[in-house]
Amino acid sequence: MSRNDALRAARLRAGWRTIEAAAKVLTEHGQQLLEDNQFTVSARTWRRWEGDRPGWPAEETAIVIHDALGRWPEDLGFTTPPGWIRPEHHEEERVRRQAFSSVTAAALAVGPVAPQHVDPALIDYFQQQLEGHYRADMFLGPHDLIGTVSAQYQLIDKLVRSAKGETRRSLLRVGAAYAALVGWLYQDAGDMDGAAFWRGVTQEIAMRSRDPHLIGYSLVNQAQVRTDLGDGHAVIDLCEAALDDADRLVPKVRIMAMQQQAHGASLTGERSLVDQLIDEADRLLPRVDDDLPWGNACRRTPGYLEVQRATCYGRLGLGVEAGALWSQVLAAVPQTARRDRGVYMARQAAAAAASREPDQAVEIARTVVTIAVETRSARMRRELLALERAMRPWQDAPVGRDLAEILGPVTERG
């Protein structure tokens, strides 16, 4: 079979019985697509394409062929030249660059800016706003907040360039907290590139602030990204770095580092280390008494450390132990914290599947899917996909078919 048979077959499938008809239709199609009345494909050219040496069409002709036949020239028997990149790939790269620009714009504003007076009272304003954003995140999920919080970070960055002395240092500290929240929102939305970028911004601002607590917090933020990437050793490395000078850190930051290190240990299969780290963090919990406006999940989240332990147990395949903990945790989580409840319930469902209780898993999933669609949390969707994998032993049973139907609105979204 010669190399041009693919083009001939595509021509016949399109209903172009002769080469002359194909050349005429492609010419008309190209003139309309390119809005160029000079575009022409002759019968002689098409005959060469169907010959033993079809060569390679010009880029605009390749686009027309693809639009008319639904396939690129390299799939139709043409000889691909060195360095050929499909035009669609150029478009994908343009869209990717555009998306990355929108992620980074708030953090990469070009300076200098016109100097202005910066009133120290703005520090309290931004701190109060930050607490409101944390609460809104629990109710709304990430997508509705990313633009708002990013814009406020951009304003803080602008003010930092004019502020002086302690006002400037305080703005840097609150700016690091805002950057950390933007990073978290991107992570919850499933954009790990955006999350990693903003975690890097957090670390830069923390270092500039010279605040040891924020520097430790920024390392834990980096570890959170590594946890979602499944890189347990990197999580442990980052958390150990945060704890290198633990005596200088407020208990809250030490707790954050220890619980995140426990996630790293669960990824490397070390159950005893998981329990050791979470138990140690639990002993520190009563000592949390700082007034820092960021990183207060250990105060705000009911059963914070048992949430971490249950998540780690689930990752270790300890379904019965994880399920018991999730029942305990969910009894304390308010109904208004819908995003968090949804994530926890998805993990509870996976624990039920691991405990060979598929009917319970499916019943829990019914509620979670509703929350996942409302909040558009990629983290929740990821947990539901993990449940789908855990339920594979029952995929051909009625309960498995029920789950597939329930998960439809989530799997269809991505």
Side-chain angles (χ1 to χ4, degrees):
M1 184 178 287
S2 59
R3 295 181 64 183
N4 60 331
D5 284 347
L7 179 61
R8 180 174 182 276
R11 166 170 66 79
L12 294 174
R13 277 197 303 272
W16 305 342
R17 308 308 299 174
T18 67
I19 286 176
E20 288 73 17
K24 180 176 183 294
V25 173
L26 195 70
T27 294
E28 293 170 352
H29 189 87
Q31 289 177 355
Q32 183 175 2
L33 179 68
L34 301 174
E35 297 182 349
D36 178 7
N37 291 331
Q38 302 303 310
F39 177 82
T40 305
V41 173
S42 67
R44 179 180 177 183
T45 297
W46 192 291
R47 191 169 288 105
R48 173 170 55 80
W49 288 348
E50 289 197 16
D52 293 335
R53 298 180 180 178
W56 186 255
E59 182 166 311
E60 64 178 15
T61 306
I63 292 169
V64 174
I65 290 171
H66 175 262
D67 195 72
L69 297 175
R71 298 173 71 188
W72 290 102
E74 63 263 42
D75 302 320
L76 292 171
F78 289 84
T79 305
T80 308
W84 160 249
I85 300 176
R86 292 180 178 180
E88 63 180 4
H89 293 169
H90 293 300
E91 176 64 15
E92 288 167 3
E93 177 64 16
R94 185 190 67 78
V95 170
R96 189 195 67 78
R97 286 199 306 270
Q98 188 176 53
F100 189 69
S101 294
S102 70
V103 169
T104 62
L108 299 178
V110 176
V113 298
Q116 66 184 105
H117 172 69
V118 182
D119 194 303
L122 284 168
I123 309 301
D124 287 338
Y125 163 76
F126 285 119
Q127 290 180 346
Q128 290 166 12
Q129 291 284 307
L130 185 64
E131 181 57 36
H133 293 321
Y134 288 140
R135 289 197 303 272
D137 174 46
M138 293 174 64
F139 303 137
L140 297 172
H143 298 275
D144 293 321
L145 284 177
I146 284 175
T148 300
V149 182
S150 298
Q152 285 199 295
Y153 172 84
Q154 190 171 33
L155 174 57
I156 293 168
D157 179 58
K158 176 174 174 283
L159 295 172
V160 163
R161 302 181 192 203
S162 291
K164 294 179 173 57
E166 184 54 36
T167 301
R168 182 173 183 277
R169 285 188 289 274
S170 296
L171 277 172
L172 282 168
R173 288 193 287 269
V174 78
Y178 270 81
L181 178 55
V182 177
W184 159 249
L185 294 170
Y186 274 108
Q187 190 170 346
D188 193 35
D191 184 343
M192 297 308 292
D193 290 341
F197 171 82
W198 279 96
R199 299 309 200 188
V201 172
T202 304
Q203 192 164 11
E204 178 206 320
I205 304 301
M207 294 293 289
R208 288 168 59 191
S209 76
R210 309 291 206 279
D211 185 319
H213 313 302
L214 269 174
I215 293 169
Y217 178 54
S218 72
L219 288 167
V220 174
N221 272 254
Q222 297 276 24
Q224 286 178 343
V225 174
R226 285 289 161 180
T227 297
D228 274 8
L229 294 174
D231 189 349
H233 293 294
V235 175
I236 293 170
D237 289 342
L238 288 161
C239 293
E240 286 179 344
L243 292 166
D244 270 349
D245 203 2
D247 292 341
R248 295 184 65 196
L249 300 177
V250 293
K252 179 172 69 181
V253 177
R254 292 162 65 184
I255 289 168
M256 293 176 68
M258 287 173 189
Q259 62 82 22
Q260 200 64 44
Q261 187 175 345
H263 286 285
S266 72
L267 286 165
T268 57
E270 301 173 78
R271 185 211 169 141
S272 61
L273 183 56
V274 167
D275 286 325
Q276 175 189 325
L277 287 161
I278 292 180
D279 290 345
E280 191 175 347
D282 191 48
R283 287 191 289 273
L284 278 174
L285 203 53
R287 294 172 52 190
V288 176
D289 61 356
D290 62 84
D291 59 358
L292 299 170
W294 45 263
N296 287 310
C298 62
R299 292 168 169 160
R300 192 172 53 243
T301 305
Y304 172 74
L305 288 173
E306 294 315 300
V307 167
Q308 315 311 320
R309 195 191 305 265
T311 302
C312 290
Y313 280 3
R315 205 177 276 127
L316 288 163
L318 305 172
V320 174
E321 295 94 327
L325 283 173
W326 285 125
S327 296
Q328 171 189 323
V329 165
L330 284 160
V333 176
Q335 294 290 334
T336 51
R338 285 181 65 72
R339 197 273 317 282
D340 285 350
R341 279 191 70 84
V343 171
Y344 301 161
M345 290 177 71
R347 292 172 182 169
Q348 181 188 34
S355 303
R356 305 198 67 77
E357 297 178 2
D359 292 309
Q360 181 188 0
V362 170
E363 222 27 63
I364 295 168
R366 291 183 194 279
T367 302
V368 179
V369 167
T370 301
I371 303 172
V373 171
E374 286 177 4
T375 62
R376 294 179 289 161
S377 169
R379 197 162 53 111
M380 203 181 310
R381 178 179 179 275
R382 188 172 63 243
E383 298 293 347
L384 286 169
L385 294 176
L387 168 62
E388 186 178 44
R389 291 192 294 273
M391 287 285 291
R392 278 178 185 162
W394 298 278
Q395 64 183 0
D396 295 324
V399 70
R401 292 193 289 273
D402 284 350
L403 180 69
E405 183 177 348
I406 290 166
L407 293 183
V410 174
T411 54
E412 287 164 11
R413 290 175 68 86

